[in-house]
Amino acid sequence: MPLEDDFTDIVKKARNGQGLSSTELSKRCGLDANRLTALERGAESPSREEVAAIARGLGLRPEALVQVVLEGWVPAPTPATVGEVHTIHGDIGGYAVKGYLLCDDVAKEAVLVDTGYDAEVVLCVLQERGLKLNAVCLTHGHSDHAGKLERILSGWPVPVYLGREDEELAPWLPDKKSILEPTDGRKISVGRLTVECLRTPGHTPGGICYRVRTQHHTVCFVGDTLFAGSVGRANPFSLYPAHLDSVRSRVLQLPKETILFPGHGPNTTVAEELAHNPFWAA
């Protein structure tokens, strides 16, 4: 699976997050403004020197951005032994999105982390595997992650965990008594598994990641807080500093072997991102 973000995505996220105009960034980088604009639009390909200069101007790691943009880095495939995680591959208007069912096949229980915008697949997997749905855990309220929730809850009227600040973002939510606050450190039981809520604002004001220790691995469902080799876009841009702090002080402080399951693009690990993510501390 290719990376979610390319050079233009990364530059725009970092520049807009810092409130920089293209002219201001060109001065920081020592590049011609027209040349920078062409590079940011993807109209021309950057050289190694230009990628490094732009990274320094944006406070990103030059060597990591070069690896992502020019050297074809992608994370190693997720181990096949993470059998407790079933990926829901959906799309919204042709845009691919992923949700996840975390399953305990012995206890026959599951929680859904984001809807994957495909309720029918979620319901089908639950039925085929004979699983009871305990809860829906939303990383944030955007429609590609929370859409089709009403269809899922029509079959399984379970609690929904969603950051309070994100409630107004969701396209549909059940009545208030069914919405629970995923406060930092809160635990959610799934058979023999325990999910821990991690507050990670930045992509949205109420962003949440969900960490769990499975039989063989520690995993964390990160939504759009982090992508392999990048991060999600801060919404609004003023949340960019908080977003970087969530990535750097929360997600990338987890044990290095932790497998990260994002809402878009390939899965990755903390170790891979420490080595290759340009948004990791420069």
Side-chain angles (χ1 to χ4, degrees):
M1 179 180 291
L3 298 180
E4 172 66 13
D5 283 355
D6 60 17
F7 176 68
T8 63
D9 298 318
I10 293 171
V11 172
K12 288 174 185 175
K13 287 177 179 179
R15 180 174 66 76
N16 289 329
Q18 296 175 65
L20 294 172
S21 67
S22 294
T23 299
E24 290 170 326
L25 179 57
S26 71
K27 291 178 180 178
R28 284 191 181 189
C29 301
L31 296 176
D32 175 79
N34 291 330
R35 172 65 175 166
L36 179 62
T37 298
L39 294 176
E40 186 174 302
R41 291 177 177 172
E44 299 178 18
S45 298
S47 67
R48 180 177 293 264
E49 292 73 21
E50 288 171 328
V51 171
I54 292 169
R56 287 190 291 270
L58 291 170
L60 305 178
R61 289 195 297 169
E63 70 281 4
L65 191 58
V66 166
Q67 291 166 355
V68 169
V69 173
L70 299 178
E71 296 181 355
W73 170 80
V74 292
T78 301
T81 51
V82 191
E84 296 91 344
V85 179
H86 183 101
T87 304
I88 306 298
H89 292 280
D91 73 81
I92 176 169
Y95 179 50
V97 59
K98 297 193 293 183
Y100 301 94
L101 274 168
L102 174 68
C103 313
D104 183 332
D105 283 318
V106 174
K108 294 298 182 181
E109 296 182 5
V111 296
L112 176 65
V113 182
D114 291 344
T115 64
Y117 206 76
D118 198 330
E120 298 310 317
V121 170
V122 172
L123 295 172
C124 183
V125 173
L126 290 171
Q127 182 178 16
E128 288 178 349
R129 295 175 65 166
L131 298 170
K132 171 191 172 185
L133 187 65
N134 286 6
V136 175
C137 299
L138 299 178
T139 60
H140 60 291
H142 287 160
S143 60
D144 54 335
H145 293 257
K148 311 287 186 167
L149 180 61
E150 65 274 24
R151 175 69 182 95
I152 295 167
L153 295 190
S154 70
W156 292 94
V158 298
V160 175
Y161 290 85
L162 175 65
R164 187 168 300 158
E165 302 91 336
D166 274 22
E167 289 183 12
E168 63 182 21
L169 299 177
W172 180 90
L173 286 174
D175 57 83
K176 287 284 188 181
K177 66 181 181 181
S178 298
I179 305 173
L180 301 180
E181 178 73 6
T183 51
D184 198 57
R186 183 167 188 167
K187 304 294 195 301
I188 304 166
S189 295
V190 192
R192 299 162 300 168
L193 305 175
T194 301
V195 178
E196 180 183 1
C197 303
L198 301 178
R199 181 172 169 78
T200 52
H203 175 62
T204 60
I208 302 291
C209 293
Y210 298 93
R211 177 176 64 173
V212 61
R213 175 69 188 176
T214 68
Q215 184 177 357
H216 300 288
H217 303 278
T218 298
V219 305
C220 189
F221 303 96
V222 296
D224 291 358
T225 296
L226 179 144
F227 301 144
S230 187
V231 297
R233 178 169 59 91
N235 293 279
F237 293 138
S238 59
L239 285 176
Y240 184 73
H243 193 167
L244 290 186
D245 183 64
S246 290
V247 169
R248 294 171 176 177
S249 68
R250 303 303 309 271
V251 177
L252 295 184
Q253 295 300 319
L254 296 173
K256 291 183 179 181
E257 68 275 10
T258 303
I259 300 171
L260 306 177
F261 289 91
H264 309 275
N267 304 332
T268 184
T269 65
V270 169
E272 290 265 31
E273 298 309 302
L274 290 174
H276 303 288
N277 195 308
F279 289 90
W280 173 236

